[in-house]
Each structure stands twice: as structure tokens, then as C-alpha cells.
């Protein structure tokens, strides 16, 4: 099932979550990415998260990571804004003596500005709204809500 599939009931939602990429593929994707080792480890740990629904173990973490990878491709402005903010934080952190303090103080602000600027661009292109609406519909079946 593709990331654009929207389950309409619990059975479809369980099947959708079970068709997430295997951990091996997620690990390969993360290993090839330019993300920091800490972020890769965090995402890999998230991908291993499961919940038990009745007698079925649902690989919700693998689906969340695969949706995040899909969102990075679908809403590139936001992804780029976050990447720029993180890069600026790293550069500021490299300044001798006060860089660590400045990076710590400015990290959230830079991330907020970068994400906001990228999201505004994606919203102008309607990519953000369409992508987020799809993600909400994909998870709504787990609440017993019916997707419209």
C-alpha cells in the first residue's frame, strides 16, 4: 500500500500499518541519509515501536518513519527549512568560546523560523495541507473514526 492510501476502518488501518517497509529497508535508508548519527539512532528506535491490538502486533513505528520519509519528499520546503536551521545551529555551535551557548540558545528559534518559512512555501503550493490531511486520515481509522 502506498503512503497515499487512506484506510476507512480498523481492519484496513491494521493492514496499512503492517505493510510498512521492513526495519532492514528503513535502516538502509537511514544509513544512506545525511542525518546525524543521533537522529538516525532515534528514528531507528522509533521504527521499532509496536503496539498490540487484540492478538495483532502493529508496527506503528515503522509506518510513522515511512510517513516521515514520504513527507520529506512531499513537502520539500519544510524539510529544506528544517535542514537549513539545523545547519545554521551546527555552524553557530562551532564558534569558539560562545558557540555552544549561542547554539543552545538559538536552536529552537532557528528551527522554528526555518520550519515556518519552509511550511509557508509548502502551504502556498498546497503540498502541506494535502499531505497533513492525508496523514490525519490514515491515523483516524485507529480511533474508530471513519475517513471522509
Amino acid at each position: 500500500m502506498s503512503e497515499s492510501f487512506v484506510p476507512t476502518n480498523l481492519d484496513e488501518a491494521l493492514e496499512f500499518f503492517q505493510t510498512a517497509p521492513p526495519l532492514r529497508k528503513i535502516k538502509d535508508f537511514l544509513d544512506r541519509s545525511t542525518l546525524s548519527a543521533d537522529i538516525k539512532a532515534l528514528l531507528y528506535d522509533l521504527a521499532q515501536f509496536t503496539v498490540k491490538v487484540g492478538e495483532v502486533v502493529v508496527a506503528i513505528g515503522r509506518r510513522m518513519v515511512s510517513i516521515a520519509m514520504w513527507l520529506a519528499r512531499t513537502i520539500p520546503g519544510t524539510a529544506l527549512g528544517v535542514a537549513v536551521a539545523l545547519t545554521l545551529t551546527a555552524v553557530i555551535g562551532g564558534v569558539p568560546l560562545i558557540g555552544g551557548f549561542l547554539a543552545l540558545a538559538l536552536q529552537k528559534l532557528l528551527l522554528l523560523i526555518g520550519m515556518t518559512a519552509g511550511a509557508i512555501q509548502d502551504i502556498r503550493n498546497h503540498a502541506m495541507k494535502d499531505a497533513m490531511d492525508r496523514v490525519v486520515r490514515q491515523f483516524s481509522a485507529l480511533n474508530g473514526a471513519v475517513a471522509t
Side-chain angles (χ1 to χ4, degrees), residues 3 5 15 23 47 59 71 78 80 85 119 122 134 144:
E3 302 305 327
F5 174 75
E15 184 179 338
L23 285 173
L71 283 171
T78 303
L80 179 61
D122 287 333
R134 184 174 296 121

Side-chain angles (χ1 to χ4, degrees), residues 74-78 115-132:
T74 305
I75 51 175
T78 303
M115 188 169 33
T116 302
I120 288 170
Q121 185 61 38
D122 287 333
I123 288 169
R124 286 183 183 147
N125 297 334
H126 299 286
M128 175 71 83
K129 182 184 181 321
D130 295 343
M132 296 315 299

Side-chain angles (χ1 to χ4, degrees), residues 11-146:
D11 290 334
E12 286 181 2
L14 292 175
E15 184 179 338
F16 174 68
F17 282 91
Q18 295 305 85
T19 60
L23 285 173
R24 175 183 41 80
K25 285 190 177 182
I26 290 174
K27 185 170 183 341
D28 288 344
F29 173 83
L30 292 174
D31 288 343
R32 288 190 317 267
S33 74
T34 59
L35 298 170
S36 72
D38 292 336
I39 298 294
K40 289 177 185 180
L42 179 68
L43 288 173
Y44 189 70
D45 288 346
L46 175 64
Q48 296 178 56
F49 180 74
T50 60
V51 293
K52 189 170 184 180
V53 178
E55 295 298 317
V56 178
V57 176
V58 181
I60 197 165
R62 290 186 301 156
R63 180 52 69 187
M64 288 176 10
V65 172
S66 71
I67 287 172
M69 293 183 310
W70 173 77
L71 283 171
R73 289 187 307 269
T74 305
I75 51 175
T78 303
L80 179 61
V82 169
V84 168
L86 293 175
T87 303
L88 281 173
T89 302
V91 168
I92 291 170
V95 173
L97 299 178
I98 62 168
F101 174 74
L102 280 175
L104 185 62
L106 296 175
Q107 179 180 18
K108 291 180 182 176
L109 178 63
L110 289 172
L111 190 56
L112 181 65
I113 291 169
M115 188 169 33
T116 302
I120 288 170
Q121 185 61 38
D122 287 333
I123 288 169
R124 286 183 183 147
N125 297 334
H126 299 286
M128 175 71 83
K129 182 184 181 321
D130 295 343
M132 296 315 299
D133 286 348
R134 184 174 296 121
V135 170
V136 168
R137 288 193 312 267
Q138 288 171 337
F139 280 85
S140 67
L142 293 176
N143 291 342
V146 177

